Amino acid sequence: MQELGHTRSAHRRDHLLLTPDTFIRTPLPGLTGGMAIVHVAPQVGAAFTQMTVELDPNGTLIQGPSQRLIYVLEGKLTLTEPSQKKPHKLAAGSYAYLPTEHAHAITALTKSRLAVIDKPFLPLDPFEAELHNAPFPEIIVGREQDLTPTFLNGDPDLEVRALLPASLGFDFACNTMTYAPGAALSQVEIHYMEHGLLMLQGGGIYRLNDSWYPTTAGDFIWMAPYCPQWFGAIGKTPAKYLIYKDFNRHTLA
Ligand code: UGY
Ligand code: MN
């Protein structure tokens, strides 16, 4: 239906809300048999790129210019990379962390969708790395379904699953957060880290700076550093999102 110029999408100084009706698909170097929806990139002021990559059967994505985290949204795929002879099998909920220059090819067996986060790596100073027993990050392949949740601020209705280990070696965090119906963040957060957020299930109200947005599965949000933020889940099913944040580094590093 023609929406006569109306959309929920919004672009403000310190945040972006992008709803699927405004997504633009583009080709990308390293991507064959598919298209990329680049949700956020340095062009808007972010220090990372987050995209959704849509692959047709046999479509392939190979390594990009930086370290990468992928999270499978839909489909069946293989990940070929040099640390293991046999390709890894990936399906919805599978994820992989791939360090900078770690050669890889992700190939779709069926029509698939992946969340992809690319971020230039900020290494720890070698002295700090030894002090904190935080070696250079290595490849990780896992399944979100196998992760044990923690509860944000002890709230049993707000489950956090960390895709990356709690080591200072990593310069970002990526978690899923699952809110029981009616659950909410216990505070308005204001922090120096930025966020990329993909709403996976359910929905609610996202407060971003001085605006309150109805938000639902499929939406993408970017929160710039210090963007005031709060979420409350609305509806009869849980709300769940995948959330990126820069982490573990001095702000002047
Ligand atoms: O990790 C976070 O900062 C997270 N609690 N923020 C958010 O959900 N907007
Ligand atoms: Mn936050």
Side-chain angles (χ1 to χ4, degrees):
M1 193 188 129
Q2 167 61 269
E3 296 290 344
L4 298 172
H6 181 76
T7 180
R8 285 186 297 113
S9 285
H11 179 196
R12 302 286 179 266
R13 181 190 61 78
D14 61 359
H15 63 270
L16 262 180
L17 166 65
L18 297 173
T19 61
D21 56 298
T22 55
F23 290 174
I24 299 293
R25 289 160 175 83
T26 60
L28 195 75
L31 173 60
T32 50
M35 294 291 254
I37 303 158
V38 179
H39 299 301
V40 70
Q43 282 74 1
V44 80
F48 69 109
T49 289
Q50 182 164 347
M51 45 200 170
T52 297
V53 170
E54 298 175 332
L55 292 169
D56 292 326
N58 294 319
T60 299
L61 176 69
I62 64 163
Q63 66 272 15
S66 66
Q67 64 176 343
R68 165 173 286 169
L69 184 111
I70 61 152
Y71 176 89
V72 178
L73 301 166
E74 184 191 332
K76 291 192 170 65
L77 310 96
T78 58
L79 164 64
T80 308
E81 54 82 25
S83 82
Q84 191 178 290
K85 272 199 181 143
K86 274 176 53 182
H88 306 265
K89 291 187 165 70
L90 308 176
S94 299
Y95 63 89
Y97 168 78
L98 299 146
T100 316
E101 290 179 6
H102 192 99
H104 59 272
I106 300 155
T107 303
L109 303 173
T110 63
K111 215 170 160 43
S112 302
R113 288 187 309 123
L114 299 173
V116 178
I117 294 165
D118 286 345
K119 177 191 186 295
F121 180 59
L122 273 176
L124 266 189
D125 167 278
F127 180 86
E128 294 282 337
E130 206 175 320
L131 180 70
H132 295 289
N133 188 23
F136 200 85
E138 291 185 357
I139 181 172
I140 296 171
V141 181
R143 281 173 14 112
E144 189 213 348
Q145 295 88 330
D146 297 336
L147 298 173
T148 307
T150 57
F151 304 112
L152 191 68
N153 298 325
D155 181 348
D157 290 331
L158 216 174
E159 296 178 354
V160 179
R161 289 175 175 81
L163 305 190
L164 297 179
S167 161
L168 277 185
F170 292 88
D171 67 346
F172 71 96
C174 189
N175 304 325
T176 61
M177 294 180 61
T178 307
Y179 296 70
L185 285 177
S186 62
Q187 63 182 118
V188 176
E189 295 180 7
I190 304 180
H191 50 62
Y192 75 87
M193 303 84 94
E194 61 179 332
H195 284 309
L197 181 159
L198 187 64
M199 191 64 69
L200 300 174
Q201 289 171 21
I205 298 291
Y206 231 104
R207 177 186 172 171
L208 301 168
N209 200 338
D210 287 338
S211 300
W212 278 255
Y213 297 98
T215 311
T216 189
D219 292 350
F220 178 84
I221 292 171
W222 170 62
M223 294 167 239
Y226 294 103
C227 176
Q229 56 198 255
W230 175 87
F231 179 70
I234 297 181
K236 294 188 174 176
T237 57
K240 176 176 170 185
Y241 53 73
L242 179 74
I243 185 165
Y244 158 95
K245 71 175 163 190
D246 51 306
F247 209 43
N248 287 337
R249 292 294 178 270
H250 195 286
T251 51
L252 299 179

